[in-house]
């Protein structure tokens, strides 16, 4: 049984993050996405498959072309995960600031 990919696996790769960045600006065809990278079409297709499996990219067939767009709703899981650490570090830094102010 093949394990489902998750958003964290998808954003772990710099090429996939770059693809998401491109698609954040505008919807593009698969060929247009591939033109932005110095790698083979099969390699881009593998990255796109991973991105679609975890819901970060949506591909819609229009005629003979496949148009890709970013789906930022899928990044909510990452944002929630990161938020717990932001709160943790903000509290730690506030405590440090208070300690430093008391030392003055």
């Amino acid at each position: 049984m093949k394990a489902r990919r998750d958003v964290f696996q998808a954003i772990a790769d710099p090429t996939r993050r770059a693809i998401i960045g491109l698609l954040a600006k505008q919807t593009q065809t698969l060929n247009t996405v591939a033109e932005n990278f110095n790698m083979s079409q099969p390699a881009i297709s593998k990255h796109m498959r991973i991105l679609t499996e975890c819901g970060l990219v949506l591909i819609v067939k229009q005629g003979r072309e496949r148009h890709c767009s970013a789906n930022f709703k899928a990044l909510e899981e990452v944002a929630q995960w990161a938020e717990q650490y932001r709160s943790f570090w903000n509290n730690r830094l506030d405590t440090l600031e208070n300690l430093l102010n008391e030392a003055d």
Side-chain angles (χ1 to χ4, degrees):
M1 183 171 152
K2 184 177 166 184
R4 180 188 169 276
R5 296 187 195 273
D6 66 15
V7 177
F8 294 96
Q9 289 173 312
I11 64 172
D13 184 272
T15 300
R16 292 192 287 268
R17 290 192 305 267
I19 291 171
I20 294 166
L22 281 173
L23 297 176
K25 297 173 187 165
Q26 68 182 38
T27 298
Q28 297 186 17
T29 65
L30 277 173
N31 288 334
T32 306
V33 170
E35 290 170 1
N36 288 281
F37 299 92
N38 188 21
M39 60 179 60
S40 68
Q41 184 68 36
I44 290 295
S45 294
K46 182 178 179 181
H47 286 299
M48 293 301 286
R49 185 175 57 251
I50 292 168
L51 290 168
T52 57
E53 283 177 6
C54 55
L56 284 170
V57 170
L58 303 173
I59 298 178
V60 176
K61 189 171 183 180
Q62 295 178 347
R64 297 173 73 181
E65 294 184 329
R66 295 178 358 168
H67 293 265
C68 310
S69 60
N71 177 24
F72 294 110
K73 185 154 181 68
L75 286 174
E76 287 179 8
E77 181 181 359
V78 176
Q80 291 171 356
W81 177 81
E83 178 62 26
Q84 68 184 342
Y85 295 102
R86 186 184 67 79
S87 298
F88 170 80
W89 283 109
N90 280 343
N91 289 337
R92 291 290 179 132
L93 292 172
D94 288 344
T95 301
L96 177 61
E97 180 181 27
N98 291 337
L99 288 170
L100 292 173
N101 287 337
E102 289 174 7
D104 286 340

